[in-house]
Amino acid sequence: MTRFVYQCSNCGKRYQRDEVRYLCPGCSHDYRPGIPLIGVLSVQFDYAAIRKKFSKAKPDWNLFSAVEKQFFPPIPVGNTPFFQSAALGNELGFANVWIKNDGLNPSASLKDRASFLVVAEANRLKENTIVAASTGNAASALAAVCAAAGKRALIFIPQNAPKPKLVQMILYGATVVPVRGTYDDAFRLSLEYTAKRGGLNRNTAYHPLTIEGKKTVGLEIWQQNHWRVPDAILVPVGDGVIISGVHKAFYDLKAAGLISRRPRLVCVQAEKSNAIHRYIESGIYQSAANPSTVADSISVSVPSNAHMARKAVLESGGFSITVSDAEILHAQGILASKTGVFAEPACSAVVAALKKLRGSKRLDRKAQIVLLITGHGLKDVDAAMQGIRLPKAIEPTLEHLKSIHAL
Ligand SMILES: [Zn+2]
């Protein structure tokens, strides 16, 4: 760990580590459930100290951690594969396409990285209950890491949450509380619970270490790319925390003098869940009225980290793009059949976006492009089924095989 302070992303005020826990106390007065979070905190390290100690020959990634190693939960997270796919590049019309496959984390999503660090913080603070409102990957990730760390995960979910999403978290031993109402109601109840009854709240961006945990994917990309900064990273965006985390990785590396430029970040959203996209394009924030997309992990009405995500994209010189459900399902098949990576619809959206950008001047076809795959396709088999047709059974004779066209 390196010494750090928290800095408010809204007013810039700085706080000592144990002076604050969630949002900036000064700015969060203006926050109410139903709007993006105000006063999200950002970790600002002693970058001169990192610069002095960091060595590429023997990289110590704990220098970039906001929690001491001794508190880490006993479950390996991260170090996921990073590789080039010429076949996918050829298919999409780009010469240098790479995949970071974070679906291969323990609970099968990038969100394990955030849960890992928040549970480490819970160990430091001697908190035994960690609370979150979620319907999907964040809750599964929290439940998995809590299981390994011997902690209690308390999860509030809207009552209409899809049942398959619950299986993982219940098997991991989480306490799952369905709430009559929407995700916003569950979110509000989780905040009230931790305010009155205690425990540590892991709600995404609300706890600043969720962003720090997610940034480790960016640090890994830099290392796995032989200490080079890719030209662009395409990120699936729902509430805007993952893209803020990727941005933070390269912000930290630049602040520590280890890189001279940052990658362009491309925000990819579903057409019907596009609040951050519109915010980036117009500068005016408006929630998505009825977000409905096959990419449920990025389906969100009020993106909690909209302000920071917009800033991240603009500062990186990147841009935003949306894709339709049909494009997402088609891209899911392309990715699987060209690379062997089965990704959930949310991250297949980045493949759809790159396909759409073919021939556009927004991305150079020779640029090094990274597609961030944030969750495994087995998380949502029902969605994938919409894009394929299952073959019918035949009688087990060679004669009947003749009826199959491909044979
Ligand atoms: Zn503030």
Side-chain angles (χ1 to χ4, degrees):
M1 200 201 81
T2 304
R3 208 168 50 85
F4 70 91
V5 292
Y6 284 117
Q7 183 168 24
C8 173
S9 58
N10 189 46
C11 73
K13 190 169 176 194
R14 292 184 162 218
Y15 299 92
Q16 294 305 312
R17 182 187 199 182
D18 286 310
E19 213 179 334
V20 282
R21 189 173 277 192
Y22 304 117
L23 302 176
C24 166
C27 294
S28 56
H29 290 301
D30 296 330
Y31 170 69
R32 61 183 191 283
I35 62 170
L37 296 171
I38 302 171
V40 174
L41 296 172
S42 158
V43 167
Q44 297 293 311
F45 289 104
D46 176 350
Y47 290 106
I50 294 180
R51 183 177 201 159
K52 215 179 285 172
K53 290 182 196 157
F54 187 82
S55 130
K56 286 180 186 169
K58 211 178 164 190
D60 176 6
W61 294 111
N62 292 319
L63 291 170
F64 289 87
S65 173
V67 182
E68 294 85 347
K69 194 182 172 189
Q70 75 218 57
F71 299 114
F72 287 178
I75 178 171
V77 163
N79 290 315
T80 54
F82 176 72
F83 58 97
Q84 186 175 14
S85 174
L88 185 64
N90 286 339
E91 177 74 19
L92 301 176
F94 289 86
N96 197 6
V97 174
W98 292 66
I99 288 170
K100 177 66 174 167
N101 187 6
D102 241 44
L104 296 183
N105 271 300
S107 85
S109 91
L110 184 148
K111 300 194 174 182
D112 289 345
R113 296 176 184 272
S115 293
F116 181 87
L117 202 63
V118 174
V119 171
E121 178 74 342
N123 279 335
R124 184 181 78 85
L125 298 170
K126 298 188 173 61
E127 292 280 10
N128 276 318
T129 299
I130 304 158
V131 183
S134 165
T135 62
N137 292 342
S140 304
L142 177 62
V145 181
C146 279
K151 302 259 179 222
R152 176 170 169 244
L154 174 56
I155 292 156
F156 295 101
I157 54 159
Q159 65 175 353
N160 60 357
K163 283 202 173 61
K165 290 264 175 191
L166 306 180
V167 173
Q168 257 190 309
M169 50 189 108
I170 290 171
L171 272 179
Y172 286 135
T175 305
V176 178
V177 183
V179 173
R180 288 199 189 104
T182 62
Y183 172 74
D184 289 334
D185 295 315
F187 189 88
R188 181 179 42 76
L189 181 60
S190 78
L191 299 190
E192 285 173 11
Y193 182 93
T194 43
K196 301 252 167 66
R197 307 274 291 272
L200 190 64
N201 197 303
R202 181 238 181 262
N203 280 352
T204 195
Y206 183 69
H207 197 300
L209 296 189
T210 52
I211 300 164
E212 285 298 304
K214 288 175 181 181
K215 94 178 172 190
T216 57
V217 75
L219 300 177
E220 275 174 28
I221 288 173
W222 182 55
Q223 180 180 23
Q224 291 172 318
N225 201 32
H226 304 292
W227 315 110
R228 286 173 313 198
V229 176
D231 295 307
I233 304 179
L234 273 67
V235 184
V237 174
D239 56 27
V241 181
I242 291 178
I243 200 164
S244 301
V246 174
H247 173 259
K248 181 62 167 35
F250 292 96
Y251 171 92
D252 280 358
L253 291 170
K254 193 156 185 285
L258 296 167
I259 59 173
S260 56
R261 67 173 179 91
R262 290 186 266 173
R264 296 173 74 205
L265 298 182
V266 180
C267 160
V268 181
Q269 290 211 287
E271 269 176 4
K272 290 184 179 163
S273 175
N274 62 353
I276 293 180
H277 169 74
R278 283 183 285 112
Y279 191 23
I280 289 170
E281 298 259 293
S282 70
I284 298 162
Y285 175 78
Q286 206 177 19
S287 303
N290 290 303
S292 72
T293 164
V294 67
D296 70 302
S297 299
I298 51 170
S299 176
V300 53
S301 170
V302 185
S304 60
N305 213 25
H307 303 307
M308 198 184 265
R310 174 176 180 267
K311 214 169 137 192
V313 172
L314 296 179
E315 272 185 25
S316 78
F319 60 92
S320 176
I321 182 169
T322 61
V323 288
S324 70
D325 278 8
E327 287 168 332
I328 288 171
L329 289 174
H330 182 59
Q332 188 178 35
I334 294 175
L335 178 67
S337 62
K338 295 293 171 191
T339 68
V341 174
F342 181 21
E344 68 172 338
C347 35
S348 303
V350 297
V351 181
L354 192 58
K355 186 168 187 290
K356 212 168 172 176
L357 287 163
R358 182 182 196 147
S360 119
K361 292 208 169 88
R362 299 177 103 180
L363 273 187
D364 187 316
R365 66 169 301 278
K366 289 187 179 155
Q368 187 187 21
I369 295 162
V370 177
L371 303 175
L372 186 58
I373 302 302
T374 51
H376 202 291
L378 290 173
K379 287 255 191 190
D380 193 354
V381 171
D382 285 351
M385 296 265 290
Q386 295 177 41
I388 59 169
R389 217 176 51 194
L390 294 181
K392 281 191 183 138
I394 59 154
E395 293 302 321
T397 65
L398 284 174
E399 190 59 27
H400 281 90
L401 265 181
K402 286 182 185 162
S403 64
I404 299 175
H405 207 58
L407 300 176

PDB file of all heavy atoms in Angstrom, residues 160-191:
ATOM      1  N   ASN A 160     -38.563  -8.662  -8.659  1.00  0.00           N
ATOM      2  CA  ASN A 160     -38.688  -9.245  -9.997  1.00  0.00           C
ATOM      3  C   ASN A 160     -37.334  -9.606 -10.614  1.00  0.00           C
ATOM      4  O   ASN A 160     -37.235  -9.828 -11.809  1.00  0.00           O
ATOM      5  CB  ASN A 160     -39.470  -8.293 -10.921  1.00  0.00           C
ATOM      6  CG  ASN A 160     -38.788  -6.952 -11.060  1.00  0.00           C
ATOM      7  OD1 ASN A 160     -37.762  -6.714 -10.416  1.00  0.00           O
ATOM      8  ND2 ASN A 160     -39.331  -6.076 -11.885  1.00  0.00           N
ATOM      9  N   ALA A 161     -36.305  -9.662  -9.807  1.00  0.00           N
ATOM     10  CA  ALA A 161     -34.976 -10.029 -10.334  1.00  0.00           C
ATOM     11  C   ALA A 161     -35.033 -11.439 -10.922  1.00  0.00           C
ATOM     12  O   ALA A 161     -35.685 -12.315 -10.362  1.00  0.00           O
ATOM     13  CB  ALA A 161     -33.952  -9.986  -9.214  1.00  0.00           C
ATOM     14  N   PRO A 162     -34.373 -11.634 -12.062  1.00  0.00           N
ATOM     15  CA  PRO A 162     -34.412 -12.964 -12.684  1.00  0.00           C
ATOM     16  C   PRO A 162     -33.799 -14.024 -11.783  1.00  0.00           C
ATOM     17  O   PRO A 162     -32.728 -13.822 -11.211  1.00  0.00           O
ATOM     18  CB  PRO A 162     -33.589 -12.779 -13.963  1.00  0.00           C
ATOM     19  CG  PRO A 162     -32.907 -11.475 -13.839  1.00  0.00           C
ATOM     20  CD  PRO A 162     -33.567 -10.669 -12.786  1.00  0.00           C
ATOM     21  N   LYS A 163     -34.513 -15.150 -11.641  1.00  0.00           N
ATOM     22  CA  LYS A 163     -34.094 -16.194 -10.692  1.00  0.00           C
ATOM     23  C   LYS A 163     -32.694 -16.760 -10.965  1.00  0.00           C
ATOM     24  O   LYS A 163     -31.940 -16.993 -10.024  1.00  0.00           O
ATOM     25  CB  LYS A 163     -35.135 -17.318 -10.671  1.00  0.00           C
ATOM     26  CG  LYS A 163     -36.371 -16.935  -9.881  1.00  0.00           C
ATOM     27  CD  LYS A 163     -37.136 -18.156  -9.403  1.00  0.00           C
ATOM     28  CE  LYS A 163     -38.263 -17.754  -8.467  1.00  0.00           C
ATOM     29  NZ  LYS A 163     -39.261 -16.857  -9.117  1.00  0.00           N
ATOM     30  N   PRO A 164     -32.335 -16.993 -12.244  1.00  0.00           N
ATOM     31  CA  PRO A 164     -30.998 -17.574 -12.464  1.00  0.00           C
ATOM     32  C   PRO A 164     -29.874 -16.738 -11.843  1.00  0.00           C
ATOM     33  O   PRO A 164     -28.857 -17.259 -11.418  1.00  0.00           O
ATOM     34  CB  PRO A 164     -30.877 -17.601 -13.988  1.00  0.00           C
ATOM     35  CG  PRO A 164     -32.272 -17.557 -14.478  1.00  0.00           C
ATOM     36  CD  PRO A 164     -33.064 -16.783 -13.479  1.00  0.00           C
ATOM     37  N   LYS A 165     -30.101 -15.419 -11.790  1.00  0.00           N
ATOM     38  CA  LYS A 165     -29.076 -14.540 -11.213  1.00  0.00           C
ATOM     39  C   LYS A 165     -28.878 -14.793  -9.721  1.00  0.00           C
ATOM     40  O   LYS A 165     -27.851 -14.443  -9.149  1.00  0.00           O
ATOM     41  CB  LYS A 165     -29.496 -13.070 -11.404  1.00  0.00           C
ATOM     42  CG  LYS A 165     -29.440 -12.622 -12.842  1.00  0.00           C
ATOM     43  CD  LYS A 165     -28.131 -11.943 -13.101  1.00  0.00           C
ATOM     44  CE  LYS A 165     -27.992 -11.583 -14.564  1.00  0.00           C
ATOM     45  NZ  LYS A 165     -26.651 -11.167 -14.886  1.00  0.00           N
ATOM     46  N   LEU A 166     -29.902 -15.363  -9.078  1.00  0.00           N
ATOM     47  CA  LEU A 166     -29.833 -15.569  -7.632  1.00  0.00           C
ATOM     48  C   LEU A 166     -29.076 -16.835  -7.256  1.00  0.00           C
ATOM     49  O   LEU A 166     -28.572 -16.962  -6.143  1.00  0.00           O
ATOM     50  CB  LEU A 166     -31.247 -15.674  -7.046  1.00  0.00           C
ATOM     51  CG  LEU A 166     -32.200 -14.525  -7.351  1.00  0.00           C
ATOM     52  CD1 LEU A 166     -33.543 -14.783  -6.695  1.00  0.00           C
ATOM     53  CD2 LEU A 166     -31.609 -13.226  -6.852  1.00  0.00           C
ATOM     54  N   VAL A 167     -29.013 -17.767  -8.203  1.00  0.00           N
ATOM     55  CA  VAL A 167     -28.472 -19.089  -7.875  1.00  0.00           C
ATOM     56  C   VAL A 167     -27.059 -18.985  -7.304  1.00  0.00           C
ATOM     57  O   VAL A 167     -26.768 -19.523  -6.236  1.00  0.00           O
ATOM     58  CB  VAL A 167     -28.497 -19.995  -9.127  1.00  0.00           C
ATOM     59  CG1 VAL A 167     -27.776 -21.306  -8.864  1.00  0.00           C
ATOM     60  CG2 VAL A 167     -29.941 -20.263  -9.528  1.00  0.00           C
ATOM     61  N   GLN A 168     -26.203 -18.257  -8.031  1.00  0.00           N
ATOM     62  CA  GLN A 168     -24.813 -18.132  -7.586  1.00  0.00           C
ATOM     63  C   GLN A 168     -24.727 -17.578  -6.171  1.00  0.00           C
ATOM     64  O   GLN A 168     -24.097 -18.156  -5.294  1.00  0.00           O
ATOM     65  CB  GLN A 168     -24.095 -17.142  -8.514  1.00  0.00           C
ATOM     66  CG  GLN A 168     -23.196 -17.782  -9.526  1.00  0.00           C
ATOM     67  CD  GLN A 168     -22.357 -16.730 -10.232  1.00  0.00           C
ATOM     68  OE1 GLN A 168     -22.893 -15.744 -10.733  1.00  0.00           O
ATOM     69  NE2 GLN A 168     -21.067 -16.935 -10.288  1.00  0.00           N
ATOM     70  N   MET A 169     -25.405 -16.428  -5.949  1.00  0.00           N
ATOM     71  CA  MET A 169     -25.229 -15.767  -4.652  1.00  0.00           C
ATOM     72  C   MET A 169     -25.781 -16.601  -3.491  1.00  0.00           C
ATOM     73  O   MET A 169     -25.216 -16.626  -2.405  1.00  0.00           O
ATOM     74  CB  MET A 169     -25.795 -14.340  -4.658  1.00  0.00           C
ATOM     75  CG  MET A 169     -27.178 -14.177  -5.169  1.00  0.00           C
ATOM     76  SD  MET A 169     -27.616 -12.413  -5.376  1.00  0.00           S
ATOM     77  CE  MET A 169     -27.623 -12.230  -7.143  1.00  0.00           C
ATOM     78  N   ILE A 170     -26.866 -17.336  -3.757  1.00  0.00           N
ATOM     79  CA  ILE A 170     -27.428 -18.171  -2.684  1.00  0.00           C
ATOM     80  C   ILE A 170     -26.487 -19.354  -2.401  1.00  0.00           C
ATOM     81  O   ILE A 170     -26.219 -19.687  -1.257  1.00  0.00           O
ATOM     82  CB  ILE A 170     -28.854 -18.637  -3.054  1.00  0.00           C
ATOM     83  CG1 ILE A 170     -29.805 -17.419  -3.001  1.00  0.00           C
ATOM     84  CG2 ILE A 170     -29.335 -19.736  -2.115  1.00  0.00           C
ATOM     85  CD1 ILE A 170     -31.188 -17.672  -3.537  1.00  0.00           C
ATOM     86  N   LEU A 171     -25.957 -19.963  -3.463  1.00  0.00           N
ATOM     87  CA  LEU A 171     -25.014 -21.070  -3.263  1.00  0.00           C
ATOM     88  C   LEU A 171     -23.768 -20.641  -2.499  1.00  0.00           C
ATOM     89  O   LEU A 171     -23.219 -21.382  -1.709  1.00  0.00           O
ATOM     90  CB  LEU A 171     -24.598 -21.656  -4.613  1.00  0.00           C
ATOM     91  CG  LEU A 171     -25.481 -22.760  -5.162  1.00  0.00           C
ATOM     92  CD1 LEU A 171     -24.952 -23.214  -6.515  1.00  0.00           C
ATOM     93  CD2 LEU A 171     -25.546 -23.954  -4.224  1.00  0.00           C
ATOM     94  N   TYR A 172     -23.337 -19.399  -2.747  1.00  0.00           N
ATOM     95  CA  TYR A 172     -22.158 -18.889  -2.030  1.00  0.00           C
ATOM     96  C   TYR A 172     -22.477 -18.617  -0.560  1.00  0.00           C
ATOM     97  O   TYR A 172     -21.598 -18.305   0.229  1.00  0.00           O
ATOM     98  CB  TYR A 172     -21.661 -17.591  -2.662  1.00  0.00           C
ATOM     99  CG  TYR A 172     -20.934 -17.741  -3.986  1.00  0.00           C
ATOM    100  CD1 TYR A 172     -21.219 -16.892  -5.056  1.00  0.00           C
ATOM    101  CD2 TYR A 172     -19.944 -18.697  -4.164  1.00  0.00           C
ATOM    102  CE1 TYR A 172     -20.545 -16.999  -6.262  1.00  0.00           C
ATOM    103  CE2 TYR A 172     -19.265 -18.805  -5.373  1.00  0.00           C
ATOM    104  CZ  TYR A 172     -19.575 -17.951  -6.414  1.00  0.00           C
ATOM    105  OH  TYR A 172     -18.899 -18.060  -7.597  1.00  0.00           O
ATOM    106  N   GLY A 173     -23.774 -18.655  -0.219  1.00  0.00           N
ATOM    107  CA  GLY A 173     -24.146 -18.499   1.188  1.00  0.00           C
ATOM    108  C   GLY A 173     -24.555 -17.089   1.576  1.00  0.00           C
ATOM    109  O   GLY A 173     -24.614 -16.762   2.761  1.00  0.00           O
ATOM    110  N   ALA A 174     -24.849 -16.228   0.592  1.00  0.00           N
ATOM    111  CA  ALA A 174     -25.249 -14.855   0.912  1.00  0.00           C
ATOM    112  C   ALA A 174     -26.663 -14.828   1.493  1.00  0.00           C
ATOM    113  O   ALA A 174     -27.465 -15.734   1.249  1.00  0.00           O
ATOM    114  CB  ALA A 174     -25.212 -14.006  -0.354  1.00  0.00           C
ATOM    115  N   THR A 175     -26.956 -13.790   2.286  1.00  0.00           N
ATOM    116  CA  THR A 175     -28.325 -13.551   2.729  1.00  0.00           C
ATOM    117  C   THR A 175     -28.974 -12.662   1.674  1.00  0.00           C
ATOM    118  O   THR A 175     -28.542 -11.531   1.452  1.00  0.00           O
ATOM    119  CB  THR A 175     -28.340 -12.818   4.096  1.00  0.00           C
ATOM    120  OG1 THR A 175     -27.561 -13.581   5.011  1.00  0.00           O
ATOM    121  CG2 THR A 175     -29.745 -12.640   4.616  1.00  0.00           C
ATOM    122  N   VAL A 176     -29.976 -13.206   0.996  1.00  0.00           N
ATOM    123  CA  VAL A 176     -30.589 -12.486  -0.123  1.00  0.00           C
ATOM    124  C   VAL A 176     -31.989 -12.032   0.300  1.00  0.00           C
ATOM    125  O   VAL A 176     -32.815 -12.853   0.706  1.00  0.00           O
ATOM    126  CB  VAL A 176     -30.662 -13.386  -1.374  1.00  0.00           C
ATOM    127  CG1 VAL A 176     -31.338 -12.655  -2.522  1.00  0.00           C
ATOM    128  CG2 VAL A 176     -29.269 -13.848  -1.772  1.00  0.00           C
ATOM    129  N   VAL A 177     -32.231 -10.721   0.231  1.00  0.00           N
ATOM    130  CA  VAL A 177     -33.514 -10.164   0.661  1.00  0.00           C
ATOM    131  C   VAL A 177     -34.241  -9.534  -0.531  1.00  0.00           C
ATOM    132  O   VAL A 177     -33.871  -8.447  -0.985  1.00  0.00           O
ATOM    133  CB  VAL A 177     -33.307  -9.083   1.754  1.00  0.00           C
ATOM    134  CG1 VAL A 177     -34.646  -8.545   2.250  1.00  0.00           C
ATOM    135  CG2 VAL A 177     -32.479  -9.620   2.902  1.00  0.00           C
ATOM    136  N   PRO A 178     -35.263 -10.207  -1.057  1.00  0.00           N
ATOM    137  CA  PRO A 178     -36.040  -9.580  -2.140  1.00  0.00           C
ATOM    138  C   PRO A 178     -36.890  -8.437  -1.576  1.00  0.00           C
ATOM    139  O   PRO A 178     -37.432  -8.542  -0.482  1.00  0.00           O
ATOM    140  CB  PRO A 178     -36.929 -10.718  -2.659  1.00  0.00           C
ATOM    141  CG  PRO A 178     -36.361 -11.971  -2.065  1.00  0.00           C
ATOM    142  CD  PRO A 178     -35.709 -11.570  -0.782  1.00  0.00           C
ATOM    143  N   VAL A 179     -36.983  -7.346  -2.336  1.00  0.00           N
ATOM    144  CA  VAL A 179     -37.688  -6.147  -1.885  1.00  0.00           C
ATOM    145  C   VAL A 179     -38.824  -5.852  -2.858  1.00  0.00           C
ATOM    146  O   VAL A 179     -38.623  -5.933  -4.075  1.00  0.00           O
ATOM    147  CB  VAL A 179     -36.701  -4.946  -1.875  1.00  0.00           C
ATOM    148  CG1 VAL A 179     -37.414  -3.650  -1.587  1.00  0.00           C
ATOM    149  CG2 VAL A 179     -35.593  -5.186  -0.862  1.00  0.00           C
ATOM    150  N   ARG A 180     -40.015  -5.541  -2.320  1.00  0.00           N
ATOM    151  CA  ARG A 180     -41.117  -5.151  -3.218  1.00  0.00           C
ATOM    152  C   ARG A 180     -40.804  -3.771  -3.769  1.00  0.00           C
ATOM    153  O   ARG A 180     -40.849  -2.787  -3.028  1.00  0.00           O
ATOM    154  CB  ARG A 180     -42.440  -5.118  -2.455  1.00  0.00           C
ATOM    155  CG  ARG A 180     -42.942  -6.490  -2.095  1.00  0.00           C
ATOM    156  CD  ARG A 180     -44.426  -6.486  -1.764  1.00  0.00           C
ATOM    157  NE  ARG A 180     -44.792  -7.788  -1.231  1.00  0.00           N
ATOM    158  CZ  ARG A 180     -45.017  -8.030   0.054  1.00  0.00           C
ATOM    159  NH1 ARG A 180     -44.978  -7.056   0.940  1.00  0.00           N
ATOM    160  NH2 ARG A 180     -45.318  -9.242   0.461  1.00  0.00           N
ATOM    161  N   GLY A 181     -40.473  -3.705  -5.031  1.00  0.00           N
ATOM    162  CA  GLY A 181     -40.129  -2.419  -5.629  1.00  0.00           C
ATOM    163  C   GLY A 181     -39.051  -2.585  -6.678  1.00  0.00           C
ATOM    164  O   GLY A 181     -38.785  -3.691  -7.154  1.00  0.00           O
ATOM    165  N   THR A 182     -38.415  -1.460  -7.023  1.00  0.00           N
ATOM    166  CA  THR A 182     -37.426  -1.462  -8.101  1.00  0.00           C
ATOM    167  C   THR A 182     -36.015  -1.546  -7.522  1.00  0.00           C
ATOM    168  O   THR A 182     -35.826  -1.551  -6.300  1.00  0.00           O
ATOM    169  CB  THR A 182     -37.520  -0.132  -8.881  1.00  0.00           C
ATOM    170  OG1 THR A 182     -37.195   0.922  -7.949  1.00  0.00           O
ATOM    171  CG2 THR A 182     -38.899   0.094  -9.444  1.00  0.00           C
ATOM    172  N   TYR A 183     -35.042  -1.525  -8.427  1.00  0.00           N
ATOM    173  CA  TYR A 183     -33.635  -1.492  -8.011  1.00  0.00           C
ATOM    174  C   TYR A 183     -33.376  -0.245  -7.165  1.00  0.00           C
ATOM    175  O   TYR A 183     -32.647  -0.308  -6.160  1.00  0.00           O
ATOM    176  CB  TYR A 183     -32.721  -1.510  -9.234  1.00  0.00           C
ATOM    177  CG  TYR A 183     -31.280  -1.275  -8.880  1.00  0.00           C
ATOM    178  CD1 TYR A 183     -30.522  -2.276  -8.267  1.00  0.00           C
ATOM    179  CD2 TYR A 183     -30.681  -0.048  -9.122  1.00  0.00           C
ATOM    180  CE1 TYR A 183     -29.211  -2.059  -7.909  1.00  0.00           C
ATOM    181  CE2 TYR A 183     -29.361   0.169  -8.765  1.00  0.00           C
ATOM    182  CZ  TYR A 183     -28.634  -0.827  -8.161  1.00  0.00           C
ATOM    183  OH  TYR A 183     -27.329  -0.604  -7.798  1.00  0.00           O
ATOM    184  N   ASP A 184     -33.969   0.883  -7.550  1.00  0.00           N
ATOM    185  CA  ASP A 184     -33.775   2.124  -6.778  1.00  0.00           C
ATOM    186  C   ASP A 184     -34.245   1.960  -5.336  1.00  0.00           C
ATOM    187  O   ASP A 184     -33.618   2.474  -4.404  1.00  0.00           O
ATOM    188  CB  ASP A 184     -34.509   3.299  -7.432  1.00  0.00           C
ATOM    189  CG  ASP A 184     -33.838   3.725  -8.735  1.00  0.00           C
ATOM    190  OD1 ASP A 184     -32.627   3.490  -8.854  1.00  0.00           O
ATOM    191  OD2 ASP A 184     -34.529   4.272  -9.610  1.00  0.00           O
ATOM    192  N   ASP A 185     -35.361   1.232  -5.142  1.00  0.00           N
ATOM    193  CA  ASP A 185     -35.863   0.986  -3.779  1.00  0.00           C
ATOM    194  C   ASP A 185     -34.875   0.115  -2.993  1.00  0.00           C
ATOM    195  O   ASP A 185     -34.613   0.362  -1.813  1.00  0.00           O
ATOM    196  CB  ASP A 185     -37.236   0.291  -3.829  1.00  0.00           C
ATOM    197  CG  ASP A 185     -38.296   1.191  -4.460  1.00  0.00           C
ATOM    198  OD1 ASP A 185     -38.332   2.380  -4.099  1.00  0.00           O
ATOM    199  OD2 ASP A 185     -39.057   0.709  -5.317  1.00  0.00           O
ATOM    200  N   ALA A 186     -34.361  -0.903  -3.659  1.00  0.00           N
ATOM    201  CA  ALA A 186     -33.395  -1.797  -3.003  1.00  0.00           C
ATOM    202  C   ALA A 186     -32.130  -1.018  -2.635  1.00  0.00           C
ATOM    203  O   ALA A 186     -31.568  -1.186  -1.553  1.00  0.00           O
ATOM    204  CB  ALA A 186     -33.052  -2.964  -3.925  1.00  0.00           C
ATOM    205  N   PHE A 187     -31.709  -0.136  -3.534  1.00  0.00           N
ATOM    206  CA  PHE A 187     -30.510   0.692  -3.321  1.00  0.00           C
ATOM    207  C   PHE A 187     -30.714   1.584  -2.084  1.00  0.00           C
ATOM    208  O   PHE A 187     -29.865   1.640  -1.188  1.00  0.00           O
ATOM    209  CB  PHE A 187     -30.274   1.542  -4.573  1.00  0.00           C
ATOM    210  CG  PHE A 187     -28.959   2.276  -4.588  1.00  0.00           C
ATOM    211  CD1 PHE A 187     -27.812   1.669  -5.096  1.00  0.00           C
ATOM    212  CD2 PHE A 187     -28.851   3.575  -4.121  1.00  0.00           C
ATOM    213  CE1 PHE A 187     -26.597   2.335  -5.127  1.00  0.00           C
ATOM    214  CE2 PHE A 187     -27.637   4.251  -4.144  1.00  0.00           C
ATOM    215  CZ  PHE A 187     -26.505   3.628  -4.656  1.00  0.00           C
ATOM    216  N   ARG A 188     -31.869   2.240  -2.037  1.00  0.00           N
ATOM    217  CA  ARG A 188     -32.171   3.137  -0.919  1.00  0.00           C
ATOM    218  C   ARG A 188     -32.200   2.358   0.397  1.00  0.00           C
ATOM    219  O   ARG A 188     -31.618   2.796   1.402  1.00  0.00           O
ATOM    220  CB  ARG A 188     -33.518   3.830  -1.167  1.00  0.00           C
ATOM    221  CG  ARG A 188     -33.935   4.800  -0.074  1.00  0.00           C
ATOM    222  CD  ARG A 188     -35.275   5.477  -0.388  1.00  0.00           C
ATOM    223  NE  ARG A 188     -36.284   4.571  -0.950  1.00  0.00           N
ATOM    224  CZ  ARG A 188     -36.966   3.682  -0.246  1.00  0.00           C
ATOM    225  NH1 ARG A 188     -36.785   3.562   1.049  1.00  0.00           N
ATOM    226  NH2 ARG A 188     -37.858   2.890  -0.837  1.00  0.00           N
ATOM    227  N   LEU A 189     -32.833   1.187   0.383  1.00  0.00           N
ATOM    228  CA  LEU A 189     -32.922   0.386   1.609  1.00  0.00           C
ATOM    229  C   LEU A 189     -31.529  -0.046   2.083  1.00  0.00           C
ATOM    230  O   LEU A 189     -31.243  -0.041   3.285  1.00  0.00           O
ATOM    231  CB  LEU A 189     -33.815  -0.841   1.375  1.00  0.00           C
ATOM    232  CG  LEU A 189     -34.018  -1.744   2.594  1.00  0.00           C
ATOM    233  CD1 LEU A 189     -34.674  -0.981   3.743  1.00  0.00           C
ATOM    234  CD2 LEU A 189     -34.862  -2.966   2.226  1.00  0.00           C
ATOM    235  N   SER A 190     -30.657  -0.376   1.132  1.00  0.00           N
ATOM    236  CA  SER A 190     -29.307  -0.804   1.520  1.00  0.00           C
ATOM    237  C   SER A 190     -28.547   0.349   2.183  1.00  0.00           C
ATOM    238  O   SER A 190     -27.788   0.144   3.130  1.00  0.00           O
ATOM    239  CB  SER A 190     -28.534  -1.343   0.312  1.00  0.00           C
ATOM    240  OG  SER A 190     -28.050  -0.288  -0.488  1.00  0.00           O
ATOM    241  N   LEU A 191     -28.760   1.573   1.692  1.00  0.00           N
ATOM    242  CA  LEU A 191     -28.108   2.743   2.309  1.00  0.00           C
ATOM    243  C   LEU A 191     -28.660   2.968   3.712  1.00  0.00           C
ATOM    244  O   LEU A 191     -27.912   3.248   4.660  1.00  0.00           O
ATOM    245  CB  LEU A 191     -28.328   4.013   1.470  1.00  0.00           C
ATOM    246  CG  LEU A 191     -27.799   4.042   0.038  1.00  0.00           C
ATOM    247  CD1 LEU A 191     -27.889   5.457  -0.532  1.00  0.00           C
ATOM    248  CD2 LEU A 191     -26.363   3.552  -0.049  1.00  0.00           C
TER     249      LEU A 191
END
